[in-house]
Amino acid sequence: MATIAVLGTLGTLDTKGPEHGFVAERIRQHGHDTLLIDVGTAGSPQIVPQVTRHEVAASIDIDLDAVLARADRGECVSAMAEAAPVLLHRLYREGRIEGVISLGGGGGTAIATAAMRALPIGVPKLMVSTLASGNTAHYLGSKDITLMPSIVDVAGLNRVSKVIFSRAAGAICGMVDATIDADDVRPLIVASMFGNTTDCVNAAIPVLEKAGYEVLVFHATGAGGRAMESLIESGMVAGVLDITTTEWADELVGGVLSAGPQRLDAAAAMGVPAIVVPGCLDMVNFAARDTLPSRFESRNLYVHNPQVTLMRTNVQECRELGKIVARKISEYTALVTVLVPCLGISALSGDRQPFHDPDADAALFSAIASELREDIELRKLDLEINDPQFAQACAMALLENIHRHQRVDA
């Protein structure tokens, strides 16, 4: 029997108490326990929670009464969105919950998904929301949250909402009950890949697998980079094969595939051995050609497909990217090696390719070398990034860093 957190706004003015109570009862009918957590801020709870809103707020020392007295809905939602993740993570860490479900509109979805994002990947998380359509990236973050459309507003029990809520209760119970195949106990390596670095990563994977590792590949599309960083933060990762750091080009220049300013931070924070390559820092990603900002019209452009337009980074941008990447890497505490493919950092930047720009590459490489911490190894190889020899060098450098790290910890 598992305990599933039912997280919601349970007050009379929040009008979500009976709905969450209904879901809790359906979960109990499936044979599981529930832990009702009140994150509401309007009116008194319609059903008795097992964790009160004041207990939620106290998890980060918020004076909830003072917040309520100001009667600012935005401040109330923000306070609970800050406190609920801390509480939910603690409950999971203490073994008191094994999954979480919530129902809500705008405020409820913001609070509940913030809390869900605090839980590790693999913990069942289900959000029944009026907002489960369109752009939901800010609710999901890099976590495996399942969004289920509520169809009707979460405002009462009726012939439609009862069906949706009953199915949702069955879904979260099914997630919790699902058995996990734990036969593969190989340590994990995460790798970043793009279409323009696919051959490199694909050639490195067999080397790492032969050495006894399982390799998880993340597409460097912003969401992929954030997901990879999140998995590194979970403590599950033994090594990082960061071939494709292209998301930093989008972050700096304003492309559509940025992973945010925290990209490259997780390996440093967690002390995970790594190799880092300036893969695809020669390109910034935009959508269809006609969506390109007018200020970039005169730049070197490559239409990858009708939905994707690539722009070559120039000397100034490459110089700044080199500084950023080197400064990030210089924060690493575990062993890290920087490998530079001097003859092409993507499939498009080699000799006679559309993005071949020796001056921009030189600015990038020089900035990395000048800003990198002196004790970090920098290898410049006269190879293109997708050359099998470069892939082999990356894989072997990572294995060496992992093995040396293990010897230090032993």
Side-chain angles (χ1 to χ4, degrees):
M1 179 186 297
T3 298
I4 298 171
V6 180
L7 182 74
T9 52
L10 309 181
T12 54
L13 300 181
D14 292 318
T15 66
K16 304 294 187 293
E19 296 89 332
H20 284 93
F22 178 88
V23 168
E25 177 57 30
R26 289 293 186 272
I27 290 172
R28 289 190 287 269
Q29 289 175 4
H30 283 283
H32 294 300
D33 283 338
T34 58
L35 185 70
L36 271 166
I37 303 171
D38 182 19
V39 292
T41 56
S44 301
Q46 294 174 291
I47 57 177
V48 179
Q50 290 150 289
V51 180
T52 69
R53 59 189 63 172
H54 283 83
E55 290 176 289
V56 175
S59 64
I60 57 170
D61 297 324
I62 289 178
D63 184 346
L64 185 60
D65 289 331
V67 173
L68 295 175
R70 289 190 286 273
D72 184 317
R73 174 174 167 77
E75 183 184 3
C76 291
V77 171
S78 296
M80 281 300 181
E82 185 179 354
V86 176
L87 173 81
L88 206 65
H89 186 266
R90 189 183 75 222
L91 291 172
Y92 173 76
R93 191 177 64 246
E94 294 172 351
R96 295 176 59 188
I97 60 170
E98 287 137 290
V100 57
I101 187 172
S102 185
L103 322 170
T109 301
I111 295 169
T113 54
M116 292 175 185
R117 292 194 299 273
L119 297 178
I121 291 171
V123 178
K125 317 166 187 72
L126 176 59
M127 182 74 224
V128 182
S129 174
T130 59
L131 303 176
S133 62
N135 183 7
T136 59
H138 53 296
Y139 294 120
L140 301 179
S142 57
K143 294 301 177 70
D144 53 339
I145 299 170
T146 299
L147 283 178
M148 182 175 182
S150 63
I151 305 301
V152 295
D153 196 2
V154 183
L157 296 171
N158 53 61
R159 68 178 67 186
V160 174
S161 65
K162 286 181 179 179
V163 171
I164 300 300
F165 299 161
S166 295
R167 300 302 185 205
I172 192 65
C173 291
M175 291 182 194
V176 169
D177 287 338
T179 57
I180 308 299
D181 182 3
D183 291 342
D184 195 339
V185 293
R186 293 175 294 169
L188 288 177
I189 287 174
V190 295
S192 56
M193 188 172 78
F194 220 38
N196 282 291
T197 58
T198 296
D199 289 348
C200 178
V201 176
N202 283 347
I205 288 173
V207 179
L208 301 172
E209 290 180 336
K210 185 177 180 180
Y213 292 89
E214 180 181 9
V215 183
L216 306 183
V217 179
F218 293 82
H219 200 191
T221 57
R226 290 191 296 271
M228 188 177 81
E229 296 280 316
S230 178
L231 189 63
I232 297 168
E233 289 174 346
S234 74
M236 298 171 61
V237 174
V240 179
L241 185 74
D242 213 342
I243 298 289
T244 316
T245 48
T246 184
E247 288 150 319
W248 258 110
D250 286 64
E251 172 67 16
L252 175 68
V253 182
V256 298
L257 299 185
S258 167
Q262 288 76 40
R263 181 70 171 89
L264 294 173
D265 285 355
M270 298 302 296
V272 179
I275 69 99
V276 182
V277 177
C280 291
L281 285 179
D282 58 334
M283 60 185 66
V284 181
N285 293 265
F286 294 99
R289 177 64 179 82
D290 59 5
T291 69
L292 185 78
S294 59
R295 66 184 183 277
F296 297 132
E297 283 294 337
S298 63
R299 298 285 294 273
N300 182 1
L301 305 174
Y302 180 81
V303 178
H304 182 66
N305 61 49
Q307 287 75 45
V308 177
T309 303
L310 306 177
M311 182 182 77
R312 200 349 170 154
T313 46
N314 60 26
V315 169
Q316 181 180 355
E317 291 159 353
C318 282
R319 184 177 296 113
E320 186 60 28
L321 285 168
K323 293 177 181 179
I324 291 169
V325 170
R327 289 167 184 169
K328 289 281 185 179
I329 298 167
S330 294
E331 296 297 320
Y332 283 37
T333 54
L335 289 164
V336 58
T337 304
V338 180
L339 292 97
V340 175
C342 295
L343 300 186
I345 57 175
S346 81
L348 294 179
S349 67
D351 186 34
R352 300 182 182 179
Q353 295 301 315
F355 282 176
H356 184 60
D357 187 339
D359 291 337
D361 286 349
L364 175 67
F365 304 158
S366 176
I368 291 173
S370 63
E371 295 290 333
L372 195 65
R373 202 175 72 218
E374 290 185 359
D375 63 312
I376 294 176
E377 183 180 11
L378 171 64
R379 298 185 194 174
K380 292 184 178 180
L381 304 178
D382 288 330
L383 298 167
E384 293 186 11
I385 195 167
N386 289 313
D387 190 306
Q389 292 183 57
F390 185 77
Q392 175 85 8
C394 289
M396 297 306 295
L398 179 57
L399 291 174
E400 176 61 21
N401 287 348
I402 293 172
H403 295 161
R404 288 170 59 193
H405 181 78
Q406 290 171 342
R407 288 198 297 268
V408 169
D409 285 350

